[in-house]
Every structure is written in C-alpha cells, then in structure tokens.
Amino acid sequence: MTVHPAHAATGANTPRLQLRAVVSSSIGNLLEQYDNLVYAYSAVYLSAQFFAGDSFSSLLSTFAVFAVGFLARPVGTVVFGHIGDKVGRRPALILSVVLMGAATVLVGLLPGYSTIGLAAPILLVILRLFQGFAVAGEWAGSATMLVEYAPPKARGRYGSLNQVSTAAGFLVAAGVVALNSLFWTEQSMKDFGWRIPFLVGALTAVVALVLRFGLEDTPLYRAEKAAGEVSSSPLRLALRTQKSAMALGFFFTVSWTVAYFFFLTYLPTHLKTQVKLDSGTVEASNLVALVVLTVAIWIFGVLSDRIGRKPLLLIGSGGFIALTFPVMWLFQTGSTAGAYLGQILIALVLAAFSGPGPAALAELFPTNVRYSALGIGYNFSVMAFGGTAGFIATALIDATGNALVVAALPTAAAIITFVAVCRMPETYRTELK
C-alpha cells in the first residue's frame, strides 16, 4: 500500500514509538511462550496433580491437554485477526495479553484431582482453551506490529525480536522452573511448589499491558485508516485474495512449530524419562541451548536484511532434515556432553530459520489483511502440528518401544517446509504493501 503524502503525519514513525512497540510486543510474546513452557516443563507435576492412573498414562493425558489448547487457535485467529485488521493492532494485543495472563494465574490456583475430582482436569482443559484462544492473537499481532514499525531495511532485525522474545520466554520459563525447584523438596514441589511459576506469569502480563496502553498503532495501519482503506470484513477479503499466500504460510510453519515444540518442550521430558539423564543435567543443558538460540536468532535476523530471507530459511529447514536423526541418536548415548552438544546444534539450526521467519511471513501479505492472513497461515499450522508433538512422540515410543523413532516427526516436517520455502518469493528488498 502506498502511503499518501497527506497522511504522512498520521503515519509518522519515531524512535520512541519504535522502541515502545519493540518492548511491548516482545514482552507479550515472551508471556505467550512462558505460559506454554511452564506447562510443558511442569508436566510431571501436573500429571500427578490433575489425573488419576499410572504415571505414564497421566503424563500422556497431560500432554493431550497441552495439545487441546491449540484447538482454540482457529477461533482466536478469526476473532483477533478481525479486531487487529478492522479496529487496530493495539486493541487486539491488549485483549490477548489480558486473557493470557488471567488464564495462566488461574492454572496456578486450580485445585487438584484429590480435592475436586474430575472437575480438576475439566477446568484445566478449559483454561488451556482460553490460553490457546489468546495466543492465536498474540503471535500474529506481535509479528505484525514489529515488522510494520520497522525501518524498510531492518524488517528482518525487528521481526527477529518476535522470535528472540519467544526464545526468551522459553529461557525464562526454564530458569523460573529450575530456580523454583531449588527452593523446595520433591514432595513440596508436588504439593504446591509447581504452582509458583504459573503465578509469576502475572508479573509479565501486567508489564506488557501497561506498555501496550501507551502504544499507538503502527504507522502503516494509521495511514491506511486515515485513507479510509481499512476493510470492513478483513477475514473475508483475506480468504478471497490471499489463499495461495496463506497456504504457503501454513506449510512454511510446519517445521518451525514442530521443531519448537518437539525440541524445546517435549525433549526435556524425553531426556529425563527415556534417556534417564538427571534433572540437573537436563535443565542446565536446556538453559545453555536456549541462551545460544536467543542470541543466534538476533544475528540471523540481522543477516537476513543483508543476504535475504530464503538462504537462511533453506539452511534452517535443510538442517533439520540432515541433523535430526544424528542428534537424537547422540542423545540416546546418555552422555552429558551429548546432551549439551545436541541441543546447541538444534538451537543454531532453529535460529537460522527463526531469525528471518517473522519478517518473511509478514512480507507475504498486504497491510489491510496482514493480521488475519498471517494468523491463519501460522496458527492453523501450529494447531495441527505444534501442540501434538509431545503427545505423538510419547505415543510412538509406547507403541514401538524405540526412543529413536520420534526423530521421524521433525524430519518429515522439515521436508514439507523446505519445499514451501523453495516456492516462496524473496521479499527482503520489497516494500510492504
């Protein structure tokens, strides 16, 4: 979309607004990932609290409830996409962070199965659905906000902050869970200590909310609104005009989401239950890998503004095709060095994709439907493939008795995404429409 000179003031962009947009979008996105990761990292305690039965079936039920949260994403995508494209990016992001924060705190306050019986897992499912609904608006809104506020030659750098904050959310969640476990005995963790990381999520939500109330909408959106070009039905317009681009976005996201939720949420449980590594080694190696991931995402985002998005995206998706089976074999050796080396390798490959990823997705769509169209491509893929990674991996091992078979999941997903990236246009030098 061309911004008319008459609307230049309306669409003004300043360093102060850019900084506020970066911080508020990043903190909200951090909370999104923190919520998911605290649940995943607390899976062993949640299974004992909310489900009856043996330890394996309870753990399987816990990962199933984790996946259930993703079923609400289509509804959230439609609702938040409509608000974000018709009313504004800012109102949508305010609503999403309020709902996410409230649901996370309520999980931390929820009575267990021994107290309220079957109502406990039912209420846990409902809260996960609310989280999934809110998260659907958060990721798309954060990516849209960052890329639309970015200077023309820095969209990769700005967009990468969406994923830097994602990795930081994983890092903060892992750190909070690890620190929390140091203060309590194992029995105390089972009784009440597991609740504390969920309650800590309220602090992040409050900070993000305060920052977003003081934020203006993006310059592109403000200019579009002033020109009377905001669609009254952005979802319908997106479905009519962006079907091919949304399909690309869907397949583009398959490997991305499987890799995140397989390696960063399921893997710690796998290393503890299948490889039999001690918790300290698993948590420490996971923290080191997350630090590497966080820093490397930023570096690859900056690099994508110089050499393009596609070379790095192909390296990322191709890297998972080549390395997943060898890395999973390395984990199965049970060595401490293998745990560190394998996770660092995965972090670097994931960073190569995640750095340019948000900008590459956002650049596929025009401003008047960007929130909706980006959300549909991304969230429907996450719903289908991301939340089920832990559940499918656990079920595969149970069915085959072979822990290495789970490597087939990220490998197959990477093949799909590699083909999608090959078909995508290179957009790093094009203007946002």
Side-chain angles (χ1 to χ4, degrees), residues 15-281:
R16 181 185 65 82
L17 287 176
Q18 288 173 341
L19 178 61
R20 196 173 190 107
V22 164
V23 175
S24 66
S25 297
S26 298
I27 290 178
N29 198 52
L30 183 152
L31 174 64
E32 170 197 338
Q33 302 307 327
Y34 178 90
D35 291 352
N36 279 326
L37 264 292
V38 163
Y39 184 100
Y41 289 156
S42 304
V44 173
Y45 301 115
L46 291 170
S47 65
Q49 282 287 324
F50 292 101
F51 300 97
D54 63 83
S55 59
F56 185 84
S57 62
S58 295
L59 185 61
L60 196 61
S61 297
T62 302
F63 279 121
V65 173
F66 182 76
V68 162
F70 291 81
L71 297 179
R73 288 207 175 200
V75 179
T77 297
V78 170
V79 172
F80 284 101
H82 182 81
I83 296 171
D85 283 328
K86 185 176 181 180
V87 182
R89 282 55 165 136
R90 175 178 169 271
L93 286 170
I94 287 174
L95 178 59
S96 70
V97 80
V98 168
L99 291 176
M100 277 196 305
T104 301
V105 170
L106 288 173
V107 169
L109 297 174
L110 191 61
Y113 190 93
S114 62
T115 304
I116 59 174
L118 190 59
I122 291 173
L123 289 172
L124 183 63
V125 168
I126 292 171
L127 290 174
R128 279 294 299 162
L129 288 170
F130 267 104
Q131 284 182 322
F133 174 81
V135 164
E138 182 62 37
W139 195 96
S142 169
T144 297
M145 181 73 76
L146 288 166
V147 172
E148 289 185 355
Y149 257 111
K153 295 183 180 180
R155 294 196 301 262
R157 172 161 55 96
Y158 273 62
S160 72
L161 292 171
N162 170 279
Q163 290 298 285
V164 168
S165 60
T166 293
F170 280 67
L171 183 60
V172 171
V176 168
V177 170
L179 286 173
N180 187 53
S181 66
L182 295 177
F183 287 94
W184 310 107
T185 65
E186 186 65 18
Q187 188 58 48
S188 296
M189 281 295 295
K190 291 178 181 177
D191 292 340
F192 61 85
W194 65 270
R195 298 180 183 275
I196 294 172
F198 289 93
L199 301 178
V200 168
L203 299 176
T204 307
V206 169
V207 173
L209 183 61
V210 170
L211 286 169
R212 287 178 180 183
F213 267 114
L215 182 66
E216 294 184 57
D217 249 310
T218 70
L220 279 173
Y221 184 83
R222 283 180 275 141
E224 183 180 75
K225 196 167 187 177
E229 297 175 359
V230 173
S231 173
S232 60
S233 183
L235 179 61
R236 186 180 303 170
L237 181 62
L239 292 173
R240 190 173 73 246
T241 63
Q242 303 297 317
K243 287 192 287 291
S244 295
M246 288 189 294
L248 269 180
F250 178 91
F251 293 115
F252 175 93
T253 306
V254 172
S255 177
W256 202 2
T257 189
V258 169
Y260 257 110
F261 288 101
F262 182 88
F263 288 110
L264 300 183
T265 66
Y266 166 74
L267 184 61
T269 299
H270 179 90
L271 292 175
K272 293 176 186 178
T273 61
Q274 299 297 323
V275 183
K276 305 301 182 183
L277 283 173
D278 64 277
S279 295
T281 298

